[in-house]
Amino acid sequence: MRILFGVQGTGNGHISRSRTLARALKSRGVAVDYLFSGRAADGYFEMGEFGDYRTFPGITFASHQGRISGWRTLKGLSPLRFWQDLRALDCREYDLVISDFEPLSAHAARRWGKPSLTISHQASFDWPIPRWGESGFNRQLMRHFAPVRQSLGLHWFHFGQPLLPPIVDPLEPVPDNQQILVYLPFEQTETIAALLSRFSTQSFICFHPEVRKRSEWRNIRFEPQAREGFKLALAGCRGVISNAGFELASEALSLGKKLLVKALGGQFEQLTNGRTLELMGLAQLMDSLDANAVRSWLEAPSPGRVRYPDVAGELADWLLAGAGEEVGALSRRLWGRTLFPEEVCDSLGELASRTGQERPWLSQLSAFD
């Protein structure tokens, strides 16, 4: 089997998830060529798992001061370049095209008539799951941005749908280093510093794409983006303050780290993520960089650790076996091996009531003390 794997490069979460899946595929001898779009070629780092990967401009969404900027997004679009890249991307040698919400590979698979699937959090919105702030435009965008034949959606819970648990590295927590990890890439460093410096007795470590070398200011250490350093900080931290992206939250939950999240303005997916985490009892959500919200959260305990199975390994085996197992059966098998803190099971029952969801899926919950 030979696979073309397209990855949305705008955020590090897509890359992190795909890196984990890349290791699983490589360990099973699957031949994979990787394609990334949505970021300048020199903006990628620690990409050794992807071999001789290719990069393209693709289509991405620009942000400004913590919000999606429609003007900057339109200004950065280059439909002619996208069309030229699409025509030049030859898929004839591939047996399968996988897209992690990456449009070039998805549209190329359609153009060449190749089997295609997506493995992404965005695919979970193909199903009737809890959501907030979604518009008709958002629904059409999700449907047509990276169209594929089959969708494998990832989420923190299945909500009675054939979704899969998150793909995360098998990380283990280390002794508490008393620090709070901060990752707010869409916010300005000056704004972050002004907020966190108010809490002089708490130490923060902040990774940010604008930072080029390590520096310290008052109680905050600023670090450039580095995957291994970030993972070490995540494993030992007391909690995480971040935007409401999917992958970092998943990694934090798998380590039992408490979460304070701020949704990227104008992005319904992040708003939905933040509210879902809050209603599940797994995080606190703040609408803005609010000192009162930070103060309250610093004093709160962690909700506990969510134990997810090796989804990357299971998916690699599923693909090698010809994807013959029905996705619903794969979903039930993986969720049957997922363990939630007992309080989260109670919160999921409340979430079902608030959103009008049917309740039978509550019987599938597994809890641990």
Side-chain angles (χ1 to χ4, degrees):
M1 171 182 283
R2 186 162 189 179
I3 296 173
L4 174 65
F5 198 144
V7 183
Q8 174 61 253
T10 303
N12 290 323
H14 297 273
I15 299 173
S16 179
R17 173 170 58 244
S18 299
R19 184 183 286 113
T20 304
L21 187 52
R23 294 193 192 102
L25 292 168
K26 184 178 181 180
S27 70
R28 290 156 175 81
V30 181
V32 187
D33 292 334
Y34 292 93
L35 176 161
F36 295 82
S37 74
R39 181 187 302 195
D42 60 359
Y44 296 96
F45 57 94
E46 297 183 18
M47 301 287 283
E49 296 289 347
F50 302 111
D52 189 19
Y53 64 92
R54 290 174 284 174
T55 64
F56 296 87
I59 301 172
T60 189
F61 299 93
S63 64
H64 180 62
Q65 296 183 343
R67 295 187 61 84
I68 290 290
S69 171
W71 166 245
R72 285 175 167 80
T73 297
L74 288 172
K75 187 178 178 182
L77 291 178
S78 180
L80 178 59
R81 175 62 187 274
F82 183 85
W83 174 245
Q84 291 171 338
D85 290 339
L86 177 60
R87 293 190 64 184
L89 185 57
D90 189 342
C91 293
R92 283 177 291 187
E93 62 186 290
Y94 298 107
D95 303 298
L96 174 68
V97 176
I98 299 176
S99 169
D100 187 331
F101 204 55
E102 195 290 310
L104 187 60
S105 56
H107 284 279
R110 172 175 287 190
R111 181 170 181 262
W112 288 98
K114 289 292 181 177
S116 61
L117 64 87
T118 186
I119 303 172
S120 67
H121 176 54
Q122 286 77 12
S124 68
F125 292 95
D126 291 347
W127 301 93
I129 62 172
R131 63 191 74 201
W132 290 264
E134 186 184 39
S135 66
F137 173 77
N138 295 142
R139 285 191 292 273
Q140 293 303 314
L141 179 65
M142 285 287 189
R143 180 176 301 174
H144 299 293
F145 185 76
V148 293
R149 293 186 185 178
Q150 184 176 17
S151 296
L152 298 181
L154 310 173
H155 213 309
W156 297 304
F157 190 62
H158 55 71
F159 302 106
Q161 309 301 328
L163 304 177
L164 307 182
I167 296 174
V168 294
D169 279 334
L171 303 173
E172 288 295 330
V174 299
D176 184 357
N177 62 17
Q178 309 296 312
Q179 292 182 327
I180 298 296
L181 174 63
V182 181
Y183 185 63
L184 294 165
F186 305 109
E187 312 291 339
Q188 295 179 317
T189 55
E190 295 84 357
T191 305
I192 296 171
L195 172 69
L196 301 181
S197 61
R198 301 185 187 190
F199 306 95
S200 58
T201 61
Q202 175 62 59
S203 176
F204 298 91
I205 176 170
C206 177
F207 288 80
H208 199 281
E210 293 178 4
V211 175
R212 294 292 174 262
K213 63 179 181 179
R214 175 184 294 183
S215 63
E216 294 193 22
W217 186 74
R218 296 185 180 179
N219 57 327
I220 311 162
R221 191 172 91 225
F222 288 96
E223 294 275 0
Q225 294 190 114
R227 178 59 186 164
E228 291 306 314
F230 188 91
K231 285 170 61 177
L232 288 173
L234 177 61
C237 73
R238 174 160 291 181
V240 178
I241 301 175
S242 70
N243 288 115
F246 180 71
E247 195 62 22
L248 175 54
S250 300
E251 292 174 336
L253 296 178
S254 74
L255 288 166
K257 307 299 181 181
K258 65 179 183 178
L259 272 167
L260 176 63
V261 298
K262 174 195 174 291
L264 176 62
Q267 225 264 30
F268 99 92
E269 180 196 340
Q270 287 217 357
L271 176 61
T272 292
N273 287 348
R275 291 197 175 181
T276 300
L277 286 168
E278 187 173 56
L279 290 175
M280 288 178 69
L282 290 171
Q284 292 185 31
L285 171 66
M286 57 180 174
D287 296 326
S288 61
L289 296 183
D290 183 353
N292 290 327
V294 174
R295 184 175 295 108
S296 172
W297 175 78
L298 286 172
E299 297 172 355
S302 166
R305 187 178 183 185
V306 182
R307 299 178 184 270
Y308 294 113
D310 178 15
V311 179
E314 293 285 345
L315 277 175
D317 291 337
W318 181 78
L319 289 169
L320 272 176
E325 182 182 14
E326 192 262 335
V327 175
L330 176 64
S331 170
R332 289 189 292 273
R333 182 157 55 82
L334 292 176
W335 287 111
R337 290 156 48 192
T338 302
L339 296 175
F340 292 94
E342 186 173 356
E343 294 81 2
V344 174
C345 296
D346 296 336
S347 297
L348 282 166
E350 183 180 351
L351 176 60
S353 299
R354 291 190 185 187
T355 58
Q357 296 276 319
E358 295 294 330
R359 299 180 66 89
W361 47 258
L362 293 175
S363 64
Q364 301 175 31
L365 287 169
S366 299
F368 67 95
D369 295 325

